[in-house]
Amino acid sequence: MINISGLAKRFAVENPKKLSEQEKKDPRLKGRFFNSVKDVSFTCGQGEVLGLLGPNGAGKTTTLRILSTALTPDKGSVLINGEDVLANPLIARKKIGFLSSSTGLYGRLTGRENIAYFGQLHGIDKQIIADRIDEMADLLDMHSFLDRRAENFSSGMKQKTSIARAVIHEPSLVVLDEPTTGLDIMATGTVMDFIHRLKAKGTPVIFSTHHLDEVQLLCDRVTVINQGETVFNDTLANFSALSDGQMHKSFMKTLSMETGVAQKCG
């Protein structure tokens, strides 16, 4: 069970005068600080897929970066099976596989070398790394480009390699930040099939997306963040029922909810 409770994170604004008019009107701006995440809470059980939704700038990426331990929150906790991973980032990085919105591959290394390097950082035996790379190459359809330099990869190739790199250590939780953005239909289908396989293995998956069809096909639970706060946190069925199965209307309806409603959701 993954339990995220009361996350908050603010950032100093170096020059408030340079902010756009829209940024100045954001209620999260308080003096010289911008409260990117004010109060975010949600849970994800074993074998569940949770879709994290919200408008651009809502605080989704900041939340996921906190979850990955790339950022330290000002408040809140992240528990994985009862263990506080924020208190021990080294343990967290062993338990969590994180795919950011930026692939960050080493261009002069091949896809295989990029994945193997991260496996070595996790202290995995070289033969086990090789076996896992072959397995993921099958699952993600990577054999045709696995031994080419990453600098020549298409967006889909980069994303598949990054996903394989994120799960090479077989983490207890997989976190994906917009994993299908910029991918063609075939690559998107492969990534979604891979998420289904993680779910079948009992691995919880948290992913952010703007594609509601992906949420409908993959998710067990839905969390919506608006202006840095959780406004909906419940099952996919209850999210869909907000507007008789019309996902877009359900999403828009959550944006008009007060944050207290989220605390009542299951």
Side-chain angles (χ1 to χ4, degrees):
M1 172 67 76
I2 316 306
N3 193 315
I4 289 88
S5 179
L7 291 184
K9 180 66 178 180
R10 69 176 189 173
F11 298 93
V13 179
E14 291 186 7
N15 191 343
K17 294 181 180 180
K18 290 187 177 181
L19 296 175
S20 68
E21 288 302 315
Q22 183 177 356
E23 290 169 330
K24 290 177 181 178
K25 292 177 182 178
D26 194 309
R28 288 175 290 172
L29 181 64
K30 301 294 183 183
R32 297 188 66 86
F33 291 93
F34 182 77
N35 297 277
S36 178
V37 172
K38 295 172 64 178
D39 186 6
V40 168
S41 302
F42 55 86
T43 61
C44 185
Q46 294 301 118
E48 287 187 336
V49 178
L50 180 143
L52 190 63
L53 305 177
N56 287 333
K60 301 186 301 298
T61 294
T62 299
T63 296
L64 295 184
R65 291 186 69 197
I66 291 171
L67 186 53
S68 74
T69 73
L71 286 176
T72 301
D74 300 319
K75 292 192 298 184
S77 63
V78 176
L79 304 180
I80 298 182
N81 297 327
E83 186 170 14
D84 185 351
V85 296
L86 296 181
N88 194 331
L90 290 179
I91 290 179
R93 287 161 197 162
K94 291 181 179 179
K95 290 181 175 290
I96 299 171
F98 179 62
L99 174 72
S100 71
S101 54
S102 173
T103 57
L105 297 176
Y106 295 103
R108 298 188 67 179
L109 299 182
T110 66
R112 187 186 303 274
E113 289 168 341
N114 268 283
I115 301 166
Y117 175 63
F118 271 71
Q120 291 166 14
L121 290 178
H122 284 288
I124 305 171
D125 178 82
K126 288 187 177 181
Q127 185 57 54
I128 294 175
I129 291 173
D131 292 342
R132 289 182 184 173
I133 290 176
D134 286 340
E135 179 184 1
M136 286 186 287
D138 289 336
L139 296 176
L140 290 167
D141 191 22
M142 297 172 60
H143 286 292
S144 63
F145 61 86
L146 192 59
D147 292 302
R148 289 165 48 188
R149 280 190 176 187
E151 62 189 0
N152 299 315
F153 283 1
S154 67
S155 296
M157 294 172 185
K158 289 178 180 178
Q159 195 74 321
K160 289 179 182 182
T161 304
S162 297
I163 290 173
R165 183 181 64 177
V167 300
I168 186 66
H169 58 303
E170 296 189 339
S172 303
L173 167 67
V174 175
V175 179
L176 307 172
D177 190 3
E178 300 188 12
T180 62
T181 297
L183 303 188
D184 61 26
I185 294 174
M186 296 298 292
T188 295
T190 300
V191 171
M192 292 179 70
D193 287 344
F194 187 72
I195 294 174
H196 273 298
R197 289 178 181 272
L198 290 171
K199 179 179 178 177
K201 288 173 60 177
T203 303
V205 178
I206 297 172
F207 79 101
S208 68
T209 182
H210 291 291
H211 303 292
L212 293 174
D213 57 333
E214 295 176 0
V215 174
Q216 195 163 26
L217 288 170
L218 291 173
C219 293
D220 303 285
R221 298 187 63 84
V222 175
T223 297
V224 181
I225 298 175
N226 190 28
Q227 294 186 337
E229 299 185 66
T230 301
V231 293
F232 182 89
N233 177 40
D234 207 335
T235 64
L236 174 65
N238 286 340
F239 177 78
S240 180
L242 290 174
S243 293
D244 297 323
Q246 300 181 66
M247 298 289 283
H248 177 74
K249 288 186 177 180
S250 292
F251 173 67
M252 296 305 295
K253 191 170 183 177
T254 65
L255 300 186
S256 65
M257 290 180 174
E258 295 181 3
T259 55
V261 174
Q263 306 307 320
K264 300 176 185 178
C265 298

